[in-house]
Amino acid sequence: MPGANLSDAYNRELLEEQYALWQSDPHSVEPSMDAFFRGLEFGGHLSEGIGPEAETGGLPQNVRLQVAAVRLITSYRDLGHLLADTDPLAEGPAEMPWALSMERFGVSEADLNGTVDTSMFFGMQGREKLGYVMQALRETYCRSIGVEYMHMQSFEQRKWLASRMERSRNKPDMPRQKKFRTLMTLHWAEMFEQFLHRKYVGQKRFSLEGGETLLPILDAIVEGSPALGVKEIVIGMAHRGRLNVLANTLQKPLEEIFNEFEDMYLPESTRDGDGDVKYHMGFSADIRTTDGGSVHLSLAANPSHLEAVNPVVEGRVRAKQRKHGDTDRGSGVPLLVHGDAAMAGQGIVMETMNLANLHGYRTGGTIHIVVNNQIGFTTQPRDARSTQYATDVAKFIQAPVFHVNGEDPEACVYVAQLALEFRQEFKSDVVIDMLCYRKYGHNEGDEPSFTQPLMYKKILSKMGIARTYTNQLVERGDLTQQEADAIDADFQARLESALREVKQSPPRKKGMKGYAGPWTGLSNEYSHDPVPTGVAGAVLDRIAEQLVTVPDGFEIHPKLKGILAARRDNVVNRKAVDWGTAEALAYGSLVLEGYPVRLSGQDSRRGTFSHRHAYYYDYNSGRSYCPLANLDPKQAALDVFDSCLSENAVLGFEYGYSLDAPDTLVMWEAQFGDFVNGAQVIIDQFISSGESKWNRGSGIVMLLPHGHEGQGPEHTSARLERFLQLCAEDNMQVCNFTTPAQCFHAFRRQVKRPFRKPMIVMTPKSLLRSSLSPVEEFISGQFREVIDDATADPAAVKRVLICSGKVYFDLLAKRDEAKRTDVAIVRIEQLYPWPEQPLKAALARYGQAEFVWVQEESQNNGAWFFTEPRLRDLGFTAKLCARDASSSPATGSHYVHKNEQEQLVAAAMDGAMPYLVTAAKRK
Ligand SMILES: Cc1ncc(C[n+]2csc(CCOP(=O)(O)OP(=O)(O)O)c2C)c(N)n1
Ligand SMILES: [Mg+2]
């Protein structure tokens, strides 16, 4: 564009302003601008597909070339990746897409010597030949790095990237020292795999070979970290290459790794847990960098379930950021390593990415690395995804994506540095898609050519990245063969000596070390001993007053005002309070005592059932206010977040948070308990078994609204039976409280004991309002695992109804109505760990009475399967009173529900067992 500085013109605002002027009156802008816009409009038509047949005649030659240059630059920025040489298995250079062909831009070979203004391309100035511009574009966008960034809406971010990539043509000069380091890392990566291959023949290790360049990428990120303020990186990664990353990136002692291959695990006590396979174990270490800095690296333990660890890593980083007061999120970085098939296939990838910009969940950007070996087990990309790239999901959060050839280690290292810089600059996600191959089958015992004969013929002919790069460096004169050999000799000696050590000395204990750092002083030993959790009346009053105190000028919704006033009055006048008040008293007292509280879930601020009101919203302005976050300047943090509509990622996130914040009461709430199965992997693979597998405790609390209230099959059951089935070895607590005071004490006890165990709570719905507890119970009480019947006379009791949760109130009402004195009702408030002592003591009071387990859940659901053998073991054989077995948790008809519920309690009173046939089925 003659006469104008196109670096400025790159500034969209200016260009748009001029364009708007020109559209209203072509004479209102400079003549050169007029020509430019005329050209652009013409070009715009071309890009909309009118195509090469559109004549360029009518435009002056200089304008025609300038238009072509502008469009070429834009198009290469956008689509250059289609031509890039990123695939080490490619048959030849990529075919020129029409979208980048010269004819599309209305130019031919003959035009390449014509000159154009180049200031739109970073790093160029003045006029250059069109051919030179095209060469620069090819170098920048079509060598070993193909970049997608034009989908990003942030002009600033696009400009930042273009500026860095175009100035360096995406290939900066690398100092020799860095080349040497890259080479050394590659050699170590390869030798480590080959050593294991020889010494532990046939053992699964999920070799990284073919994708060794992951290690220089990780190394570049770690090396670049101190200068950019990064102190800590939490890594989530799956099986492939994990041992290599442990050995070489996290510098886990080789002896420990070999020891795991020897596999002579002997748990020293039942508290040691069952352990996990070696390629799932976590580890952490402080790594020194060459500039004298230090970075703390943690590799999160994870299950086989691919990508499930992603939200857990995010939650861990968030907790660390909170602990370190890292409000700009610059010092702690999450790094996720993906497989190409898993990245495209697993929904949790998208769910976790969706957390990236949410106030309660953001972590300042995740660095994603895909080890894209172009295969998933035996499945090829064409069957693994509907998208062009394995990474396409990342575009919805506006992340730039670098596709890079794993056989060009220098390009990979460069991209790693750029990605880290981008993350630190913009605190947002960035993706490196490292294209490579998998040398062996899915694991070392697999024959890959059964299914991919051609691919594997090609792979067999590969020399290996370490050797290829060595040869390149030797050829370029950057390195001598002797220097390369010395790397190998040195590392080989280390490997041999570590193996000798393991073979000679007795095997050390396997398993992850736990209960260190913030967990110091805590244990995994459960105890039924009660802890004092009552709170002085004056403190309760203070919290109650806070519920009705708002900043000047803040107007609470008139209806809510009345509710809050009643809450306050009930507390200060020592009357009875509801569940919402009990929660407020629990949270308020904990934060005053220095225990942070974090609760998240769908609509948790208000509460699905409008019972919580953790935040108030000004009736006139909509401004929000959290009273309990403003109790005292010295209080601990209280955070309640409305989550996005995900169970899997959000529960995973909160679980991760709980791993790094044992002092915090971390809670996740389901909208209805029924939706919890959307997070089943997090429950099965982390919450219930993480302690046994990885020696990692968690105090997470899950609040799951549960109970038959006639709201249909998907608003009834949190699947209590499934949680109970997961219970063993004191791994978690499963509770079903009937009173607000029980909730208050249980929440408080969760952070006040010397151990942490997840707590699964079946929370109420209608009982949120109808079940009340006297304030006295908050002052002097404590949590009761079992609540015996205080009103029944044991001598008169002929039948003892044992139950848990809401059905208690239905039974109570029926007994009162029928004025029955021969029936006692005993509540189990904590089903697991099984409250053997208090339950036995309670039931023993009733001598020869008949015992009946009553549950409103169907016979094939609920706690019956769990309680029956345990009651028998205590010496009490119980009959069952429940709904008939059913494949769906509840009827869809409110009418049928009511009939069923009436029959249920009637049967419990008069002993019409063994279990109930529903009203509908009887007819
Ligand atoms: C959720 C889940 N489904 C299935 C599997 C079984 N599985 C293990 S590895 C694998 C293929 C993974 O392919 P990719 O993500 O490309 O990683 P690669 O092994 O190629 O590194 C599959 C299907 C699993 N581990 N997790
Ligand atoms: Mg793969």
Side-chain angles (χ1 to χ4, degrees), residues 15-144:
L15 200 63
E16 279 172 1
E17 191 183 290
Q18 293 283 305
Y19 186 56
L21 280 174
W22 176 79
Q23 279 181 316
S24 59
D25 174 10
H27 301 293
S28 63
V29 299
E30 275 184 44
S32 63
M33 277 276 187
D34 176 34
F36 177 70
F37 288 131
R38 277 196 290 132
L40 264 193
E41 290 249 305
F42 178 79
H45 289 302
L46 279 184
S47 66
E48 267 141 43
I50 292 174
E53 63 274 19
E55 285 299 320
T56 51
L59 283 177
Q61 167 76 350
N62 64 338
V63 174
R64 187 174 65 82
L65 286 192
Q66 190 61 49
V67 168
V70 169
R71 292 184 58 226
L72 270 162
I73 292 170
T74 309
S75 297
Y76 269 84
R77 283 174 178 161
D78 191 18
L79 300 171
H81 56 91
L82 296 175
L83 257 187
D85 171 25
T86 53
D87 179 4
L89 297 179
E91 293 298 333
E95 226 173 82
M96 169 67 82
W98 181 79
L100 292 178
S101 64
M102 291 217 287
E103 58 176 349
R104 182 179 167 228
F105 302 101
V107 290
S108 65
E109 290 286 332
D111 291 315
L112 296 182
N113 280 325
T115 64
V116 290
D117 185 295
T118 62
S119 45
M120 188 182 172
F121 187 88
F122 287 94
M124 282 192 196
Q125 274 178 344
R127 299 189 74 79
E128 293 283 359
K129 287 184 177 166
L130 183 63
Y132 179 70
V133 175
M134 276 186 66
Q135 185 194 335
L137 287 169
R138 293 266 175 87
E139 286 178 359
T140 307
Y141 293 110
C142 308
R143 284 195 287 198
S144 300

Side-chain angles (χ1 to χ4, degrees), residues 239-240 304-306 338-343 346 371 373 375-377 438 442:
H239 51 289
R240 174 107 23 238
S304 265
H305 294 57
L306 295 166
H338 312 265
D340 51 314
M343 174 88 170
Q346 293 291 305
V371 178
N373 53 21
I375 195 159
F377 213 137
R438 187 187 69 192
H442 175 60

Side-chain angles (χ1 to χ4, degrees), residues 289-455:
T289 54
T290 42
D291 65 0
S294 165
V295 186
H296 187 72
L297 297 187
S298 310
L299 177 61
N302 66 252
S304 265
H305 294 57
L306 295 166
E307 308 287 351
V309 78
N310 298 1
V312 178
V313 165
E314 301 295 334
R316 287 193 58 187
V317 172
R318 175 82 177 204
K320 284 171 185 285
Q321 290 174 342
R322 161 57 66 85
K323 193 168 71 202
H324 299 138
D326 180 13
T327 45
D328 88 332
R329 312 198 185 283
S331 69
V333 176
L335 192 158
L336 297 175
V337 181
H338 312 265
D340 51 314
M343 174 88 170
Q346 293 291 305
I348 197 159
V349 174
M350 173 269 168
E351 287 194 24
T352 306
M353 285 184 165
N354 191 37
L355 301 177
N357 297 322
L358 303 182
H359 175 59
Y361 308 85
R362 72 184 131 88
T363 49
T366 301
I367 300 177
H368 302 268
I369 303 172
V370 185
V371 178
N372 187 345
N373 53 21
Q374 314 191 57
I375 195 159
F377 213 137
T378 66
T379 302
Q380 309 226 42
R382 65 166 176 265
D383 295 315
R385 59 180 191 256
S386 290
T387 53
Q388 177 172 11
Y389 292 116
T391 50
D392 281 353
V393 63
K395 287 191 187 168
F396 91 103
I397 48 158
Q398 311 275 319
V401 182
F402 299 97
H403 308 284
V404 58
N405 192 323
E407 276 192 340
D408 185 344
E410 290 178 18
C412 290
V413 164
Y414 160 75
V415 156
Q417 284 166 339
L418 189 60
L420 178 66
E421 277 177 49
F422 178 86
R423 190 274 176 193
Q424 288 302 84
E425 179 73 21
F426 297 106
K427 301 289 157 42
S428 62
D429 285 39
V430 53
V431 182
I432 301 170
D433 179 23
M434 182 192 76
L435 280 97
C436 55
Y437 55 91
R438 187 187 69 192
K439 183 168 174 185
Y440 300 105
H442 175 60
N443 60 52
E444 289 63 39
D446 237 18
E447 175 49 71
S449 56
F450 283 161
T451 47
Q452 274 77 28
L454 302 184
M455 185 184 199

